[in-house]
Amino acid sequence: AVVTLEVDQYVPTHKFADFEVNDLLKQNIINKGYETPSPIQDQTIPLGLEGKDVIGIANTGTGKTAAFALPVLHKLMNNQHSKALIIAPTRELAQQIEEEFRSIAKGSGLSGVLLIGGTPMGPQLRDLRSKPRVVIGTPGRIKDHLERGTLHLNTFDQVVLDEVDRMLDMGFLPDVRFILGELKEDRQSFFFSATMDAPVRTLIQTFSKDPVMVSVKTGDTSDNVDQNVVHYTSKEDKIEKLHDVLLKDEVEKVIIFDETQRNVERLMQELVSRGFATDAIHGGKSQGQRQRALKRFKETEIDILVATDVAARGIDVKDITHVINYAIPQTYEDYTHRVGRAGRAGKTGHALTFIVK
């Protein structure tokens, strides 16, 4: 079965208060200010609660974390033997999922562990010894623990794969197949992906039973993002043009994309030396540095974040006004992922792409 939702004319059929979920979870959701579900939540939550396998075709920023968190946590609360594994392609996304799970499950007594690279093994081993019922992590580190014998998944009966397409793009297919092969055979699966190409489809078909597909069609890029180009003639002209853009009043919170770790670092230092409150995230930074930069950006201690594509995947910061493609994205899909960072929550955002004359 395939349910396709046209977002702009979508009318939700539920309120969060209507879902038949555990009272504590429902109260936490309502306390978070959630009232009307987004299209993906409206469709996925009831299917998840019925125990169905779900494939969600949706971009970042559509509310998909809560779409799987509620049914997964509800089952954990109602069935003492249930355990859940959530796999995400990047550390940042895994951390964001963990934060969301924590806030929805507040006061439930459920224990979890975050298994991501770039962080010490000690605390992870300690958390694993206490037999957590929720394991959230990236493929490489999860596999690492399986091979060391510090994690056993044969009793896990729920699994979520978020941003499957990006996991496969990043070369995680063998790890993901290995991990899925370790889970309990009788299980419920949730797969989320922005695209549904052949490798994604094959993986899902191999590891799911009669899934229902929910597709949220938002058009290719967000309709509430105003897209434009900036022409420049030379390297010097390019940085001056960027400087001028950043001085404009309406430019409040900005992500600037550049190509390589080195370029990102260089551009950040240039902007700092020009007096802009700027930080950077890229793969060459430690987990702690990336987290601090993201926190400063969220809390508006800095209003400019320079990033590479991979590091920025899964960033969900509500009030970004501008996305600037200082380097042209490699693919159209990268472009839509970047641009989708602006114009969240019904506000109009702006995307500027720098193009040489």
Side-chain angles (χ1 to χ4, degrees):
V2 179
V3 184
T4 302
L5 316 171
E6 288 290 345
V7 169
D8 42 3
Q9 58 230 17
Y10 186 78
V11 181
T13 52
H14 306 90
K15 289 252 188 281
F16 274 104
D18 305 337
F19 290 126
E20 290 186 22
V21 292
N22 177 284
D23 288 341
L24 175 107
L25 302 177
K26 190 180 282 191
Q27 205 44 58
N28 285 344
I29 277 278
I30 291 166
N31 293 348
K32 277 167 72 75
Y34 286 16
E35 206 175 302
T36 310
S38 72
I40 191 94
Q41 292 163 351
D42 194 43
Q43 293 290 327
T44 303
I45 292 168
L47 291 168
L49 293 171
E50 280 173 38
K52 293 205 164 38
D53 281 9
V54 180
I55 304 167
I57 306 298
N59 284 324
T60 308
T62 47
K64 57 188 163 61
T65 308
F68 61 77
L70 257 189
V72 165
L73 288 166
H74 173 75
K75 189 168 176 181
L76 292 171
M77 301 278 292
N78 277 14
N79 173 354
Q80 288 309 305
H81 301 293
S82 183
K83 292 184 189 145
L85 174 70
I86 290 92
I87 316 173
T90 63
R91 304 164 186 179
E92 276 79 17
L93 186 57
Q95 277 168 319
Q96 287 194 346
I97 291 170
E98 194 222 14
E99 277 170 30
E100 185 95 357
F101 264 67
R102 235 179 237 284
S103 71
I104 294 175
K106 211 162 129 190
S108 67
L110 290 171
S111 60
V113 60
L114 182 65
L115 303 180
I116 54 177
T119 53
M121 271 293 195
Q124 293 182 13
L125 295 170
R126 186 193 62 229
D127 289 345
L128 282 167
R129 277 195 292 274
S130 67
K131 302 269 185 287
R133 294 182 56 206
V134 182
V135 173
I136 299 171
T138 48
R141 184 55 69 97
I142 293 169
K143 183 171 181 239
D144 203 2
H145 281 287
L146 284 170
E147 288 175 336
R148 286 165 172 250
T150 47
L151 171 66
H152 302 282
L153 292 175
N154 52 352
T155 54
F156 280 66
D157 61 347
Q158 298 191 78
V159 64
V160 179
L161 268 72
D162 199 5
E163 307 211 334
V164 181
D165 47 352
R166 183 50 60 123
M167 269 193 254
L168 303 194
D169 284 350
M170 291 166 75
F172 285 132
L173 181 59
D175 290 357
V176 169
R177 294 186 78 95
F178 173 75
I179 294 164
L180 290 173
E182 296 287 306
L183 294 156
K184 197 171 170 178
E185 206 151 300
D186 184 19
R187 62 168 182 263
Q188 183 179 11
S189 309
F190 295 83
F191 296 89
F192 289 85
S193 186
T195 55
M196 190 67 164
D197 56 11
V200 172
R201 192 175 286 115
T202 306
L203 178 77
I204 292 172
Q205 279 167 348
T206 312
F207 291 102
S208 66
K209 290 189 298 289
D210 303 325
V212 180
M213 189 156 102
V214 176
S215 177
V216 174
K217 288 277 175 236
T218 48
D220 276 336
T221 48
S222 179
D223 290 335
N224 44 351
V225 177
D226 179 35
Q227 299 165 57
N228 228 316
V229 295
V230 176
H231 290 287
Y232 65 93
T233 51
S234 64
K235 221 170 166 177
E236 293 70 33
D237 183 41
K238 190 180 185 185
I239 189 73
E240 293 310 328
K241 288 256 166 77
L242 178 63
H243 187 122
D244 293 345
V245 166
L246 295 174
L247 288 178
K248 288 181 179 166
D249 284 346
E250 69 270 16
V251 179
E252 291 167 22
K253 205 172 223 185
V254 195
I255 292 194
I256 303 174
F257 284 97
D258 211 342
E259 215 143 33
T260 61
Q261 294 180 14
R262 186 181 287 145
N263 289 0
V264 164
E265 198 59 33
R266 212 181 274 151
L267 181 56
M268 185 229 10
Q269 282 161 356
E270 176 65 34
L271 292 174
V272 168
S273 73
R274 288 169 177 250
F276 292 102
T278 312
D279 209 332
I281 59 169
H282 56 68
K285 285 189 177 287
S286 74
Q287 193 51 31
Q289 289 171 318
R290 284 156 70 163
Q291 252 174 297
R292 272 194 300 280
L294 201 50
K295 188 167 185 288
R296 293 176 68 203
F297 189 54
K298 271 189 172 162
E299 293 170 4
T300 323
E301 277 177 49
I302 54 161
D303 38 33
I304 299 168
L305 188 65
V306 190
T308 53
D309 278 307
V310 168
R313 178 76 174 206
I315 287 182
D316 189 10
V317 177
K318 298 280 180 283
D319 45 359
I320 293 169
T321 58
H322 289 67
V323 170
I324 295 176
N325 297 308
Y326 199 63
I328 293 175
Q330 298 288 329
T331 64
Y332 183 65
E333 207 168 294
D334 282 341
Y335 177 77
T336 56
H337 274 298
R338 289 179 181 187
V339 167
R341 305 261 162 260
R344 290 270 168 103
K347 294 192 177 69
T348 300
H350 301 271
L352 295 172
T353 303
F354 276 66
I355 293 174
V356 70
K357 255 187 187 156

